[in-house]
């Protein structure tokens, strides 16, 4: 089995998907202590983050572009090297 | 054995001993002999009154006071208000002392005592008012003037203290002023703690029902929760200890008050705990909605970004790689390597730094950390 059967862009895509799932889980599961103040603080942080959706969307978009650039480049590399 | 179980055992024991057959309810106990030195006897904990036959000895006529705890008094005694006792007249007409039938004698003109029961050989009185010292022989009717020795009985008032904070208040007698003061201080502190706890519960309940629960209650209110809870527990312990002390000394009402207090305290604790649970539930529900929105927006924007970035990255890279291909046709030493993709990699790094910058400038890293961890 050659190295190209596991092209980097696919490995990268898998890493991105797993990472995204991890972040989604962390965003929705609180790991803090059980005391009232900690629960209140965590909930308040989530609500404040929800109030800043514009920044979240912009940050996510720019982050996605960065990841897309790398994955797109790797895919082009894979196609080019496979064709030679 | 838990603390509560141990207390309950003590209480039940005290309650069972406190109800002495033949006694009159409400008697908090007695102070034995020697007026001035209030040595406390434990009325109700010992078995019962002595019998008239067993206390009549000697060869003179005398009145004898029998206490509920089995004590026999022939000289002086100080009793607490509410205490019951029996009086026996021992006569020695035939040389041998025997209890005289109550048909032949009586006690009259006793302002501080109420006659509550009469048997063939004894009269039962209850101390109803404070008095310094009463010589019972001065109130003997029927055999008066026969040189009768009699004990002097004083009545001390400790006053009952109401457990007014309870739904069904009881009057509890403490056997010394220190215990009574401690109870009153504990009760007042407890009432203060209950008021604060109720205010906190009300705030939390209102917050739970508010449209925007997180804005309805300050963090400092939540921070005071543990303190309120500890204060309520501590004040309750003081009250319970005082009631237990009174209960163990034989005051049946103290036993009832203790049990009533436990019920009352449990109710207050439950309300406080439930109000907190309701409020945190409402806040976490509000946060759950926000979390879902953040997740959706974040993942959605990342997917869109990947799509856009992917097209750009692939287009730019293909153009550069075709340039390499053309070079390879002219020069066989030229080969592909990942460094050919430096433009997209640089763009990716800049984008990642940029996204971090946006998040720092917006919600802030601390907030993200709080939500994620």
């Amino acid at each position: 089995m050659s190295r190209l059967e596991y092209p980097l862009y696919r490995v990268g895509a898998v890493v991105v998907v797993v990472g995204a799932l991890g972040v989604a889980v962390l965003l929705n599961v609180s790991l803090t202590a059980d005391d009232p103040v900690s629960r209140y603080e965590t909930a308040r942080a989530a609500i404040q983050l929800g109030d800043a959706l514009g920044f979240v969307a912009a940050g996510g978009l720019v982050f996605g572009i960065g990841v897309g650039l790398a994955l797109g480049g790797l895919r082009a590399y894979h196609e080019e090297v496979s064709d030679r | 054995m838990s603390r509560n179980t141990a207390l309950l055992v003590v209480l039940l024991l005290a309650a069972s001993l406190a109800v002495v057959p033949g006694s009159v309810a409400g008697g908090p106990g007695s102070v034995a002999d020697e007026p001035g030195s209030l040595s406390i006897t434990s009325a109700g904990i010992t078995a019962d009154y002595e019998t008239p036959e067993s206390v009549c000895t000697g060869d003179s006529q005398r009145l004898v006071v029998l206490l509920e705890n089995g004590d026999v008094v022939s000289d002086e005694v100080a009793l607490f208000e509410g205490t019951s006792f029996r009086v026996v007249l021992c006569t020695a007409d035939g040389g041998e002392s025997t209890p005289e039938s109550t048909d032949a004698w009586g006690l009259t003109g006793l302002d501080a005592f109420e006659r509550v029961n009469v048997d063939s050989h004894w009269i039962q009185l209850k101390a109803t008012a404070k008095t310094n010292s009463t010589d019972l022989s001065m109130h003997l009717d029927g055999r008066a003037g026969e040189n009768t020795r009699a004990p002097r009985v004083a009545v001390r008032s400790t006053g009952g203290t109401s457990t007014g904070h309870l739904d069904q208040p009881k009057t509890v007698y403490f056997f010394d002023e220190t215990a009574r003061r401690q109870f009153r201080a504990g009760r007042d502190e407890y009432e203060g703690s209950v008021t604060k706890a109720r205010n906190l519960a009300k705030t939390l309940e209102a917050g739970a029902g508010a449209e925007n629960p997180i804005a309805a209650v300050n963090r400092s209110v939540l921070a005071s929760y543990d303190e309120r809870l500890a204060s309520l527990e501590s004040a309750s312990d003081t009250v319970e200890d005082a009631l237990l002390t009174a209960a163990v000394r034989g005051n049946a009402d103290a036993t009832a008050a203790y049990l009533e207090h436990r019920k009352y305290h449990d109710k207050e604790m439950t309300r406080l705990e439930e109000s907190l649970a309701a409020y945190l539930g409402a806040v976490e529900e509000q946060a759950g909605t926000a979390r879902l929105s953040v997740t959706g927006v974040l993942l959605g924007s990342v997917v869109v970004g990947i799509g856009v970035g992917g097209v750009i990255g692939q287009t730019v890279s293909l153009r550069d790689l075709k340039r390499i291909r053309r070079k390879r046709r002219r020069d066989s030493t030229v080969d592909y390597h990942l460094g050919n993709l430096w433009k997209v990699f640089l763009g990716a790094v800049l984008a990642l730094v940029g996204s971090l910058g946006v998040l720092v400038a917006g919600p802030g890293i601390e907030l993200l950390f709080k939500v994620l961890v």
Side-chain angles (χ1 to χ4, degrees):
Chain A
M1 199 177 284
S2 79
R3 228 179 103 217
L4 291 177
E5 281 182 76
Y6 297 100
L8 277 175
Y9 78 92
R10 282 190 186 161
V11 174
V14 169
V15 170
V16 168
V17 169
V18 170
L21 287 175
V23 169
V25 169
L26 284 175
L27 273 174
N28 289 280
V29 177
S30 177
L31 303 175
T32 49
D34 207 28
D35 68 287
V37 175
S38 296
R39 286 173 67 185
Y40 174 86
E41 289 284 5
T42 307
R44 190 170 67 169
I47 292 164
Q48 284 176 339
L49 196 60
D51 291 339
L53 281 182
F55 284 101
V56 172
L61 186 69
V62 177
F63 177 84
I65 288 172
V67 171
L69 282 173
L71 292 181
L74 290 172
R75 187 175 181 204
Y77 183 82
H78 174 73
E79 285 173 1
E80 184 63 28
V81 173
S82 305
D83 288 348
R84 68 178 168 179
Chain B
M1 190 184 291
S2 72
R3 180 173 180 270
N4 280 344
T5 312
L7 291 178
L8 198 57
V9 170
V10 171
L11 267 176
L12 291 174
L13 183 64
S16 64
L17 290 171
V19 183
V20 180
S23 70
V24 177
S30 64
V31 189
D33 282 335
E34 299 177 34
S37 67
L38 290 176
S39 64
I40 306 298
T41 62
S42 304
I45 292 181
T46 50
D48 203 355
Y49 294 100
E50 287 291 336
T51 60
E53 292 75 17
S54 67
V55 298
C56 285
T57 55
D59 55 4
S60 62
Q61 177 169 307
R62 63 192 182 109
L63 283 168
V64 178
V65 166
L66 309 180
L67 298 181
E68 194 178 358
N69 64 355
D71 282 358
V72 179
V73 180
S74 53
D75 43 14
E76 284 183 309
V77 68
L79 305 172
F80 283 124
E81 250 181 275
T83 306
S84 292
F85 60 98
R86 292 175 184 173
V87 182
V88 174
L89 175 64
C90 297
T91 55
D93 290 341
E96 189 180 341
S97 183
T98 54
E100 182 66 54
S101 166
T102 47
D103 292 338
W105 65 281
L107 292 166
T108 57
L110 291 164
D111 295 334
F113 303 93
E114 176 192 353
R115 200 170 77 164
V116 292
N117 203 358
V118 181
D119 185 66
S120 57
H121 290 102
W122 50 256
I123 296 171
Q124 184 159 333
L125 301 176
K126 182 179 177 182
T128 55
K130 188 177 174 182
T131 179
N132 285 335
S133 185
T134 299
D135 184 347
L136 290 181
S137 67
M138 303 301 289
H139 301 275
L140 183 61
D141 183 33
R143 301 287 298 248
E146 293 188 21
N147 192 24
T148 306
R149 287 196 297 125
R152 299 177 72 85
V153 181
V155 179
R156 306 275 167 99
S157 175
T158 59
T161 304
S162 173
T163 54
H165 64 290
L166 302 177
D167 296 333
Q168 294 175 331
K170 308 278 181 197
T171 299
V172 178
Y173 290 89
F174 295 91
F175 294 81
D176 59 66
E177 266 306 309
T178 307
R180 186 185 179 198
R181 272 199 301 272
Q182 279 172 351
F183 171 76
R184 288 169 69 172
R187 182 197 61 192
D188 292 348
E189 188 191 338
Y190 183 72
E191 283 181 310
S193 296
V194 166
T195 303
K196 286 177 185 171
R198 282 181 181 171
N199 288 340
L200 175 58
K202 270 184 199 164
T203 305
L204 293 174
E205 283 162 0
E211 197 177 331
N212 184 3
I214 199 76
V217 176
N218 288 331
R219 181 191 181 280
S220 59
V221 174
L222 263 293
S224 71
Y225 178 84
D226 284 342
E227 190 191 329
R228 293 276 175 274
L229 203 65
S231 159
L232 198 59
E233 287 282 27
S234 161
S236 178
D237 284 348
T238 307
V239 171
E240 285 171 30
D241 288 347
L243 290 176
L244 271 176
T245 304
V248 168
R249 286 179 173 179
N251 185 191
D253 275 349
T255 309
Y258 172 84
L259 296 172
E260 183 72 20
H261 173 81
R262 283 298 317 171
K263 220 162 54 178
Y264 180 84
H265 180 63
D266 288 346
K267 198 175 74 180
E268 292 298 331
M269 291 291 286
T270 302
R271 184 184 173 186
L272 188 57
E273 285 164 357
E274 283 180 352
S275 68
L276 177 73
Y279 179 70
L280 287 178
V283 162
E284 283 171 349
E285 191 182 329
Q286 189 184 6
T289 307
R291 284 172 188 274
L292 281 178
S293 302
V294 170
T295 307
V297 167
L298 185 63
L299 293 186
S301 60
V302 167
V303 168
V304 171
I306 288 175
V308 172
V311 171
I312 296 170
Q314 190 166 14
T315 306
V316 170
S317 298
L318 277 177
R319 196 186 60 197
D320 290 347
L321 290 169
K322 277 177 185 165
R323 202 173 297 139
I324 302 295
R325 186 193 291 182
R326 282 196 293 274
K327 278 187 187 173
R328 273 169 58 87
R329 284 183 191 143
R330 293 193 297 273
D331 182 357
S332 62
T333 60
V334 175
D335 200 1
Y336 296 108
H337 53 87
L338 287 175
N340 302 139
L341 304 177
W342 70 270
K343 288 179 187 170
V344 291
F345 286 157
L346 180 62
V349 170
L350 289 176
L352 295 181
V353 172
S355 66
L356 201 62
V358 170
L359 292 175
V360 169
I365 288 294
E366 195 187 347
L367 201 63
L368 282 174
F369 186 76
K370 267 187 192 168
V371 177
L372 290 174
V373 179

